[in-house]
Amino acid sequence: MRPELMTEIEGLRGVNSVKIKEAHEAGKKVVGMYCVFSPQEIALAADAISVTLCGTSNDPIEEAEKELPRNLCPLIKSSYGFAITDKCPYFYFSDVLLAETTCDGKKKMYELMSKLKPMHIMNLPQTAQGEEALTLWKKEMVYFKEFLEKEFDVEITEDKLKEAIQLMNRERIAMRRLHQLNAHKPAPITGMDMMLAQWLKGFNVDKEAGIDLIERFIVEVEDRMEKGIYAFDENAPRILLTGCPIGLGSEKALRILEESGASVVALENCTGYKGLDVLVDEEKDPIEALAEKYLSTPCSCMTNNNGRLDLIERLVKEYQVDGVVDLTWQACHTYNIESFTVKNFVRDELDLPFLQLETDYSDSDVGQIKVRVEAFLEGIKS
């Protein structure tokens, strides 16, 4: 039996679809974002709503392929498909878009998307090491701040930035506490429910209400744990899912893992723990602190990306993981190439079973994935 509050959490997307329309009609400005590198704090300090844009469903990909190549990452095609079909209310009501130079496919897609709405692109340094990269990223923070000030005719003060930083840190702390409940053996929350709770937070129009809901959810789960109610028994193989971000509509690998008897206890990806791991330093200059926090994100677009290996190792130990599954989208070259490094690290350094699943958003390979997952889990159990 699932926690009762999951019903309320699952309803967030529909509720926020209405709220974003009402807010827009009331004159509230909306900034649409796609990536974990996007500094929501600057948008909030501009008295705007910051929302994650749709990009996890297979439904609009056919329309996107009329303009984009078929052999392209499904996340990119889905994001663009939602934009051109007006099927994403968050994109429709966004006044401006924030893009980022993470991968080449997204950069070129953004050129097309920029014709639909005003867009600001943050040029992400492709290395997270050294003062030069941090200096460049600090400048990008300032450029985005100045862009919003001009677009919305507002002044983003240091005090407003600090207030926004405190709010976002509170959200990260709440989501991190929720995720860390699954360090318990057995896990009290399914990987599917954990993914939904963390993914849906990006659509929250009201951050305070979202934080309150997650804190109430934590209390409910802790109460269930005291009563001995868990999502899996302690013999279920405990899996760390790493790799590309997932959401509702692109969760098939996660779903198959748990339907096959695994307990996905940790989600290392962008829609999981990765963006929660580091808080913004509230004592530093806000722009510098934001630059440091976001540049620390261990994304495969970075070279080198040893921070990802460090995070995987910490999660493996804290969550008592039995195996690691790396999910990579077809044509996502950075994650696909990096999977070789992750495989060697997991097998050689952590001495754990490893499985890479390369797929797209369609259901065409569900049977094949199920066979591979079942064999992988049998190997863990034996």
Side-chain angles (χ1 to χ4, degrees):
M1 184 176 65
R2 300 171 77 196
E4 292 182 5
L5 277 172
M6 274 308 304
T7 301
E8 188 174 342
I9 290 172
E10 285 185 314
L12 278 177
R13 200 175 186 192
V15 169
N16 283 318
S17 295
V18 175
K19 286 187 175 181
I20 198 73
K21 178 178 182 292
E22 293 174 346
H24 178 80
E25 291 174 348
K28 192 79 170 180
K29 298 298 183 182
V30 179
V31 181
M33 302 179 177
Y34 284 104
C35 186
V36 71
F37 280 106
S38 302
Q40 295 186 56
E41 290 88 346
I42 296 177
L44 295 173
D47 195 30
I49 296 171
S50 168
V51 291
T52 299
L53 300 176
C54 310
T56 62
S57 171
N58 194 59
D59 294 343
I61 285 181
E62 184 177 356
E63 283 299 313
E65 288 177 342
K66 294 177 180 178
E67 300 179 34
L68 299 176
R70 295 187 66 188
N71 61 337
L72 185 65
C73 164
L75 186 151
I76 298 172
K77 291 189 291 185
S78 180
S79 299
Y80 188 67
F82 271 115
I84 61 176
T85 59
D86 277 339
K87 291 182 178 179
C88 175
Y90 309 98
F91 186 94
Y92 182 84
F93 291 113
S94 288
D95 295 284
V96 299
L97 309 174
L98 177 62
E100 77 303 320
T101 57
T102 46
C103 74
D104 290 342
K106 289 176 77 176
K107 284 189 288 188
K108 299 307 291 184
M109 181 272 285
Y110 285 144
E111 291 180 6
L112 304 180
M113 187 180 281
S114 65
K115 300 174 183 177
L116 304 177
K117 284 182 181 287
M119 174 184 288
H120 179 79
I121 299 178
M122 295 186 73
N123 292 296
L124 177 70
Q126 300 291 283
T127 172
Q129 299 177 354
E131 283 299 315
E132 184 178 357
L134 181 60
T135 298
L136 290 172
W137 195 226
K138 283 166 61 176
K139 289 181 179 179
E140 291 299 320
M141 294 285 167
V142 173
Y143 296 154
F144 178 46
K145 170 180 171 291
E146 292 173 346
F147 169 79
L148 290 185
E149 287 178 326
K150 181 178 179 182
E151 286 290 319
F152 297 161
D153 191 24
V154 297
E155 180 185 4
I156 300 176
T157 65
E158 184 173 314
D159 286 343
K160 289 180 179 178
L161 281 171
K162 288 182 177 180
E163 289 177 9
I165 287 171
Q166 291 171 357
L167 176 62
M168 287 303 302
N169 273 348
R170 285 176 50 221
E171 180 183 85
R172 291 185 187 101
I173 290 169
M175 298 307 303
R176 190 162 64 182
R177 283 179 56 215
L178 176 65
H179 195 283
Q180 289 172 339
L181 290 175
N182 267 2
H184 187 277
K185 188 175 183 178
I189 308 172
T190 66
M192 279 295 301
D193 283 349
M194 183 70 72
M195 179 277 294
L196 285 170
Q198 303 209 106
W199 175 70
L200 285 166
K201 79 177 187 305
F203 301 103
N204 281 339
V205 174
D206 185 339
K207 291 286 186 186
E208 291 286 358
I211 294 170
D212 176 71
L213 176 57
I214 292 303
E215 289 178 341
R216 287 189 286 119
F217 185 49
I218 291 170
V219 170
E220 181 186 0
V221 174
E222 289 176 334
D223 181 61
R224 287 164 59 90
M225 292 171 70
E226 289 182 5
K227 296 175 181 176
I229 303 173
Y230 297 97
F232 296 92
D233 66 49
E234 60 183 17
N235 295 319
R238 296 170 65 84
I239 301 300
L240 165 66
L241 183 64
T242 182
C244 294
I246 58 175
L248 193 62
S250 63
E251 81 287 356
K252 68 180 176 185
L254 171 57
R255 189 183 300 278
I256 290 171
L257 277 162
E258 296 205 317
E259 287 177 349
S260 301
S263 172
V264 179
V265 295
L267 303 166
E268 181 272 341
N269 54 23
C270 297
T271 45
Y273 197 83
K274 186 175 290 184
L276 310 175
D277 189 44
V278 177
L279 301 179
V280 183
D281 191 330
E282 297 179 11
E283 302 301 319
K284 287 189 175 181
D285 169 75
I287 293 296
E288 181 175 3
L290 288 169
E292 288 179 350
K293 182 269 183 293
Y294 284 95
L295 196 60
S296 71
T297 306
C299 177
S300 67
C301 69
M302 292 293 185
T303 184
N304 61 45
N305 189 28
N306 290 332
R308 181 184 178 196
L309 303 182
D310 294 339
L311 180 56
I312 288 173
E313 182 173 18
R314 282 192 282 123
L315 292 175
V316 160
K317 292 177 179 178
E318 182 179 351
Y319 288 74
Q320 306 174 70
V321 167
D322 298 313
V324 175
V325 176
D326 186 20
L327 174 66
T328 54
W329 298 131
Q330 290 174 359
C332 182
H333 302 313
T334 58
Y335 269 107
N336 268 308
I337 294 171
E338 193 168 276
S339 187
F340 179 77
T341 301
V342 174
K343 176 185 69 175
N344 289 340
F345 178 74
V346 170
R347 289 180 175 176
D348 299 341
E349 301 296 326
L350 303 182
D351 193 27
L352 286 175
F354 174 88
L355 175 67
Q356 184 197 16
L357 297 174
E358 182 182 355
T359 185
D360 60 10
Y361 285 5
S362 73
D363 292 330
S364 61
D365 59 353
V366 165
Q368 181 189 60
I369 291 175
K370 187 173 177 63
V371 169
R372 294 186 64 205
V373 163
E374 289 175 348
F376 175 69
L377 296 178
E378 275 301 315
I380 293 176
K381 294 175 184 176
S382 62

